[in-house]
Structure formats: structure tokens, C-alpha cells
């Protein structure tokens, strides 16, 4: 009650004489108290991020149309951005820190080499024959694979197959842009180097230990095949110890830390018919169905996510996921802002 009184008693901008306000403006000064509650709202942050659903069936024809309308030379990256209307579509944000895009590469096309400060990952949605070359490592792109292109690493995309390839890009671009630290550099084509990180970390719990030299790469593993993530989830699900939630985190295998610095990436398996309530935590989240059909309840919103559909949820909201399939597992790729929130010390789990 006392708080409510205080809320009501704060002075408004209109309470101040116009000549005083004009004088403040001329001196680049602003009174805090009329805006204090807006920047520090009571109890729960103000969030522009709205629960939003993007249907793959609805966007795919538009993306293929972009393939007809805009040659790769005119696009560099042929992407339709999954923009959250709560932020304004022109901001190209899914949440405060996350950017989502669906990228199309046609057979024979090359998306030219560049590197940039934001971190990216690709989650392959459809098509065979494409690859991403990351700092000289050629990463084949198969459905469900997660491929990292962390900050500063050269990358280019190519396609030797016969059908269109589509993948989901997840970047921390809004965050890095907000920090006024977002830029890119164009580069020459990279030389392909022998070796794939994924071969060195082929089985959990076993780290390569070279006798003579130790590579000290910040990102020793760039490609996380869906074949392995799916197998890991199915193994876990067969173990009664993880009866509740069957989930894995994509990690840097040398340190066990999150695979990238700002956003976190996870694969979740929902057992046939399973309903899973995720606690209300401070970071926003993105859900993308790799296999199956999932109902997502976010606050008052409810979406049925078909295969390859994507949705986002603001932070501080509990999310309930239900596997719509009663006879088969469903698999969900999740991206969130947890690493960022934890590093900044603002991470909260409200249960
Ligand atoms: O593939 O390098 O969706 O640089 C946005 C920016 C993809 C990419 C995006 C990019 C890329």
C-alpha cells in the first residue's frame, strides 16, 4: 500500500514549468522522477518481446520467392528475418538479445566469406548438399545439425547439392548492435583445412589429449551433428534418472562452458504425450521444432508448433511445452539468453 502511494506521488513532467523544462532540454538534461517507474518498474521488468509464432509452411514459399526475386550477389545472405512485432519489425529482433533468420541457399550458390563481431549459429532445417566453411573447417549441413560461427571467425556458405537448402540463423546481433560493437569485414575465400572438431570429440566424456602439443582453440568444436544429439537424448530418455526433462546443452567440449558467450543452445526431447513446464526465468527463449509437433503455452498465448516452426517467449514467463504426438517423441531446439544473464549477474529463476 505504501509502495502504491509512493508510485502515485511521483511528480510528472507536466508539473514542471515549461521554461524550466526548456532550459533542461537546452542543456541536455532530463529529470529522472517522471520516468523513474518506466525504467525501474515494480517487481517485473517491462518487456517488448511478445510471444510470437513463425510458421515454416507460411514462410517457406516467401523465402523460395526471394530466391527468384533476389540473386545471391544482390543479397550476400538471403534471409527472411523472424522479427518480433513487440520490438517493431524494423528492429529485426526476436528478443532483446536474439536475432532469428531463415536463410536460403540454392544449388551452386556461394554466400561470400566474411567475419563479424556478433556470434551466430545455424540450425539446418531442410535440404542436403550445403556446407559452411568456418575458419577453414568445412562443416557439412544436414537437417538438425548445429553449426557455430562464433565472433570473429571467417565463414562462407556453399551448396553442391540439387535442392534448395534452408537453415535457421540465431545471432546475438541485437545485443552486440546495442553495445555499438557490431561490424563485419569481407575477406578472401578460405583454404579448406583437414580435420573436423567433431571427430576429436566424438564421444561424451572423452577429450583428446595430444602428447606433444595442445591446441588451445577458443572454439574447438564447430559442428554438432543432429545424429549425435538425437542419440544422446534417446539414451538419456532410456535412463530413469532423468525422468523429468530430457535435455542437453551444446557446450565447448574442453571447458564444458556454453558453446558461445552470449546465447545458450539446447536440444530437448519430449516423450510421447509429455507435458513439461519450464520455470519462469529471466532470459527470453526461442523454440524450434526439429522433429514432431509441440504445443507451446507462453503466458496467455498458445501455439501449435509444427515441424520446423519457431516461436519465442519473453523472459520472466513460465512456458509449458506439450508433445502433441502420443506415439512418438518430439525434439525441440532451444536458444536462450542465459549465458548473457549469468555473466551480467541478472539471471533469475522464479520457479
Ligand atoms: O550467414 O553470415 O542471418 O552475417 C545475418 C547475418 C546470417 C551469415 C544472418 C549474417 C549471416
Amino acid at each position: 500500500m505504501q509502495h502504491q502511494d509512493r508510485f502515485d506521488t511521483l511528480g510528472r513532467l507536466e508539473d514542471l514549468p515549461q521554461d524550466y523544462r526548456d532550459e533542461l532540454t537546452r542543456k541536455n538534461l532530463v529529470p529522472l522522477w517522471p520516468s523513474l517507474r518506466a525504467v525501474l518498474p515494480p517487481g517485473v521488468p517491462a518487456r517488448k518481446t511478445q510471444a510470437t509464432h513463425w510458421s515454416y509452411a507460411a514462410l517457406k514459399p516467401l523465402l523460395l520467392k526471394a530466391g527468384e526475386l533476389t540473386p545471391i550477389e544482390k543479397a550476400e545472405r538471403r534471409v527472411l528475418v523472424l522479427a518480433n512485432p513487440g520490438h517493431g519489425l524494423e528492429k529485426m529482433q526476436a528478443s532483446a538479445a536474439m536475432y532469428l533468420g531463415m536463410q536460403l541457399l540454392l544449388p551452386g550458390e556461394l554466400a561470400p566469406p566474411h567475419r563479424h563481431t556478433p556470434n551466430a549459429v545455424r540450425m539446418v532445417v531442410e535440404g542436403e548438399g550445403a556446407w559452411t566453411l568456418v575458419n577453414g573447417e568445412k562443416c557439412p549441413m544436414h537437417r538438425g545439425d548445429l553449426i557455430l560461427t562464433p565472433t570473429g571467425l571467417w565463414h562462407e556458405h556453399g551448396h553442391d547439392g540439387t535442392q534448395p537448402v534452408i537453415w535457421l540463423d540465431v545471432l546475438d546481433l541485437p545485443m552486440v548492435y546495442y553495445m555499438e560493437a557490431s561490424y563485419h569485414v569481407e575477406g578472401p575465400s578460405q583454404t579448406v583445412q583437414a580435420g573436423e572438431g567433431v571427430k576429436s570429440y566424438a564421444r561424451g566424456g572423452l577429450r583428446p589429449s595430444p602428447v606433444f602439443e595442445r591446441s588451445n582453440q577458443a572454439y574447438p568444436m564447430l559442428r554438432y551433428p543432429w545424429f549425435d544429439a538425437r542419440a544422446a537424448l534417446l539414451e538419456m530418455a532410456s535412463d530413469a534418472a532423468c525422468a523429468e526433462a530430457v535435455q542437453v546443452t551444446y557446450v565447448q567440449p574442453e571447458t564444458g562452458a556454453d558453446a558461445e558467450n552470449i546465447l545458450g543452445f539446447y536440444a530437448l526431447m519430449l516423450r510421447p504425450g509429455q507435458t513439461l513446464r519450464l520455470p519462469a526465468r529471466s532470459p527470453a527463449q526461442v523454440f524450434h521444432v526439429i522433429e514432431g509437433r509441440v504445443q507451446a503455452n507462453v503466458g496467455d498465448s498458445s501455439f501449435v508448433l509444427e515441424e520446423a516452426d519457431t516461436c519465442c517467449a519473453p523472459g520472466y514467463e513460465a512456458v509449458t511445452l506439450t508433445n502433441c504426438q502420443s506415439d512418438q517423441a518430439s525434439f525441440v531446439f532451444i536458444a536462450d539468453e542465459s549465458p548473457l544473464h549469468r555473466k551480467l549477474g541478472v539471471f533469475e529463476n522464479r520457479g
Side-chain angles (χ1 to χ4, degrees), residues 107-126:
E109 287 185 335
L110 193 72
H114 72 182
R115 59 188 172 93
H116 40 69
T117 45
N119 298 271
V121 300
R122 334 276 161 196
M123 167 50 55
V124 184
V125 177
E126 186 173 343

Side-chain angles (χ1 to χ4, degrees), residues 77 79 99 101 103 114 116 122 155 157 167 169 171 173:
R77 301 293 190 264
V79 175
Y99 157 105
Q103 183 161 170
H114 72 182
H116 40 69
R122 334 276 161 196
H155 55 282
H157 317 297
W167 64 81
D169 290 319
L171 282 81
L173 177 61

Side-chain angles (χ1 to χ4, degrees), residues 170-314:
V170 186
L171 282 81
D172 47 30
L173 177 61
M175 181 65 206
V176 179
Y177 184 80
Y178 182 72
M179 291 164 63
E180 301 187 343
S182 177
Y183 72 96
H184 94 286
V185 180
E186 287 175 26
S189 222
Q190 309 157 64
T191 6
V192 180
Q193 276 157 33
E196 263 192 78
V198 62
K199 300 236 169 76
S200 300
Y201 302 96
R203 296 285 184 277
L206 296 171
R207 193 186 71 183
S209 48
V211 175
F212 295 110
E213 59 183 82
R214 174 140 211 96
S215 76
N216 226 349
Q217 287 175 292
Y219 303 98
M221 187 161 164
L222 296 170
R223 175 167 172 260
Y224 298 75
W226 177 233
F227 180 87
D228 294 329
R230 190 179 194 280
L233 289 167
L234 287 168
E235 288 281 348
M236 280 175 70
S238 69
D239 182 352
C242 50
E244 189 72 44
V246 185
Q247 188 179 217
V248 291
T249 302
Y250 292 92
V251 297
Q252 205 275 36
E254 288 286 336
T255 61
D258 289 291
E260 289 186 346
N261 283 321
I262 297 180
L263 303 181
F265 307 102
Y266 320 85
L268 171 74
M269 176 181 144
L270 293 168
R271 293 192 171 88
Q274 183 183 358
T275 291
L276 181 66
R277 185 188 175 279
L278 303 173
R281 301 180 311 159
S282 53
Q285 304 179 85
V286 162
F287 304 94
H288 170 82
V289 176
I290 301 177
E291 278 182 51
R293 196 158 172 262
V294 172
Q295 177 168 331
N297 290 341
V298 185
D300 299 334
S301 306
S302 177
F303 312 121
V304 174
L305 306 176
E306 305 289 345
E307 208 157 273
D309 283 8
T310 307
C311 78
C312 74

